Amino acid sequence: MNCNINTDEDIILLKALSEAFAPSGFEDKAAEIILGYIKNFADECTVTPDGSVIAKICGKDNAPNSSKLMIQAHMDEVGFMIKSADEGGTLRIAPIGLSDIRLLVGRKVTVSGAHGVKYPGFIGVRPVHLTSKCAVPEICDIYVDIGAKSHEEALAAAPLASFGTFVSDFMTFGHENHMIGGKALSNRACCAVMCKIIRNLKTNDIPIPCDTYFAFTCRANTPVSSVQSVTYRIKPTHSLSLIGSSEKKRGDGVILTPSANEVPLDHTLFKDLQQISEKQGISHAVSASVDCRDTLTAQRCGVSASVISFHCDGIGSETETAALNDITALCELTRALIIDFSQITKL
């Protein structure tokens, strides 16, 4: 009944999620993979109008006033949107969640164009003698080349507001393949953890004390993340966000924190997570704070909120890397919290 993230099935799921084309605002493919994996195991599955997936597992105490727990992670990834085309057929873009322009130059990309056709391409940059000659190019110097010969051909293939993202093959590497690499792992490894827990609880017929909602949310890389609307929809009493983080170091296990973006979170829940980790021998480290706006969003909605994370390198780049043991620790702690929730919160 363990939650080790190391089976062939786990790797297949991680690969499918990592390689899915699902930039912010266009998460349909990731949602499709998740639904295909969990729909026969969750008690209820709902797709919200904004594209979030909510899976519910009923608790043994279904009283209307009992506690409700929400476990939340994002499905989306960084990407870009087409905003114009040059006379020569190259496309100009607006970044979505891409804060470091250096990560773009020379990368392979996919653009989802007219009628859902996927166009391969490359990101280029204007020659240095035609730019401001700064060490770091500006977004106005960046273009996407999908092989179009003219302005008209480019926009016929990829109309304005088409989405695009990196191309990055998922891989395992390192000693005994203990590492994984691919795009969007800081979000989608957490989605894989939630999928694994749903199957684990139902396959092993493990009773849980209260209704638990697994929210696979959208638009993390925009100002309109779906976490707020999902929180209002579920109305949980407690919320736990799962994220990849640059805090601590690889091999530390799950990362616990009393604050997000230096704003204090539910201290009781933080202490309970520490106690579970110590009691069950789950590798963990403590960081003073992590970057997680979603936890603050849930807290602003009046929910007791916390966040747990795992170390992930290269967040927001073409390839993010992480250790499977750290993701396993995230899975084990999340599952333990769900199972022991009545004792923790003293319902």
Side-chain angles (χ1 to χ4, degrees):
M1 295 194 298
N2 63 52
C3 254
N4 290 340
I5 306 290
N6 58 8
T7 67
D8 289 343
E9 184 179 48
D10 297 332
I11 298 302
I12 289 169
L13 176 60
L14 283 164
K15 175 180 171 65
L17 287 171
S18 175
E19 294 182 351
F21 180 92
S24 298
F26 204 83
E27 295 91 346
D28 308 55
K29 184 59 181 177
E32 178 186 321
I33 293 167
I34 289 165
L35 282 168
Y37 195 86
I38 66 172
K39 64 183 178 182
N40 294 327
F41 297 89
D43 294 316
E44 295 177 17
C45 276
T46 304
V47 180
T48 67
D50 62 13
S52 297
V53 175
I54 301 173
K56 177 184 178 183
I57 295 184
C58 295
K60 61 185 180 183
D61 176 11
N62 288 322
N65 295 324
S66 64
S67 291
K68 290 195 288 187
L69 175 62
M70 180 176 76
I71 310 296
Q72 177 271 323
H74 277 290
M75 298 186 289
D76 56 329
E77 61 185 297
V78 297
F80 56 86
M81 185 172 60
I82 304 303
K83 67 175 186 178
S84 66
D86 296 333
E87 289 304 314
T90 55
L91 297 162
R92 297 293 172 169
I93 63 173
I96 301 174
L98 291 163
S99 58
D100 191 344
I101 302 302
R102 295 174 300 172
L103 301 175
L104 296 174
V105 180
R107 299 294 191 259
K108 294 180 181 179
V109 297
T110 298
V111 177
S112 182
H115 311 295
V117 177
K118 299 294 193 297
Y119 293 94
F122 293 88
I123 292 184
V125 61
R126 288 198 298 170
V128 66
H129 64 279
L130 297 178
T131 68
S132 60
K133 300 186 181 182
C134 294
V136 179
E138 299 178 356
I139 192 63
C140 61
D141 299 320
I142 300 294
Y143 61 84
V144 171
D145 188 347
I146 59 171
K149 298 176 182 177
S150 66
H151 172 274
E152 293 74 19
E153 183 180 342
L155 291 184
L160 299 182
S162 297
F163 289 93
T165 191
F166 293 131
V167 174
S168 181
D169 294 333
F170 177 88
M171 65 181 292
T172 58
F173 64 101
H175 179 63
E176 296 183 345
N177 289 325
H178 73 293
M179 295 289 297
I180 56 173
K183 65 183 176 71
L185 290 176
S186 55
N187 283 345
R188 297 197 188 140
C190 299
C191 292
V193 161
M194 289 162 58
C195 288
K196 173 98 174 183
I197 293 171
I198 291 169
R199 279 200 172 191
N200 181 276
L201 293 174
K202 299 302 285 188
T203 300
N204 294 293
D205 197 25
I206 299 171
I208 60 175
C210 69
D211 290 349
T212 300
Y213 296 79
F214 297 83
F216 303 84
T217 53
C218 302
R219 298 180 174 88
N221 300 295
T222 74
V224 287
S225 164
S226 68
V227 171
Q228 181 171 324
S229 62
V230 165
T231 303
Y232 282 132
R233 185 187 188 97
I234 296 172
K235 297 182 174 62
T237 56
H238 297 76
S239 172
L240 182 67
S241 298
L242 310 185
I243 63 169
S245 171
S246 59
E247 295 296 323
K248 311 310 287 186
K249 66 181 187 299
R250 182 187 304 168
D252 278 345
V254 66
I255 303 170
L256 311 178
T257 180
S259 67
N261 302 76
E262 300 182 353
V263 176
L265 301 174
D266 185 325
H267 193 69
T268 300
L269 193 50
F270 164 67
K271 286 295 187 182
D272 289 334
L273 289 165
Q274 277 188 306
Q275 290 173 8
I276 295 173
S277 299
E278 291 164 1
K279 180 180 177 181
Q280 301 205 9
I282 298 171
S283 298
H284 63 284
V286 175
S287 176
S289 188
V290 296
D291 182 4
C292 187
R293 292 174 298 166
D294 296 332
T295 307
L296 300 181
T297 297
Q299 190 162 263
R300 282 194 295 270
C301 294
V303 177
S304 296
S306 193
V307 55
I308 57 176
S309 58
F310 68 97
H311 180 82
C312 186
D313 288 310
I315 293 176
S317 69
E318 175 188 18
T319 302
E320 301 177 358
T321 59
L324 286 172
N325 284 344
D326 292 342
I327 300 171
T328 290
L330 182 78
C331 190
E332 290 176 338
L333 181 54
T334 305
R335 176 180 173 274
L337 175 72
I338 294 168
I339 294 171
D340 295 338
F341 195 63
S342 62
Q343 286 74 32
I344 291 167
T345 56
K346 299 178 177 61
L347 297 177

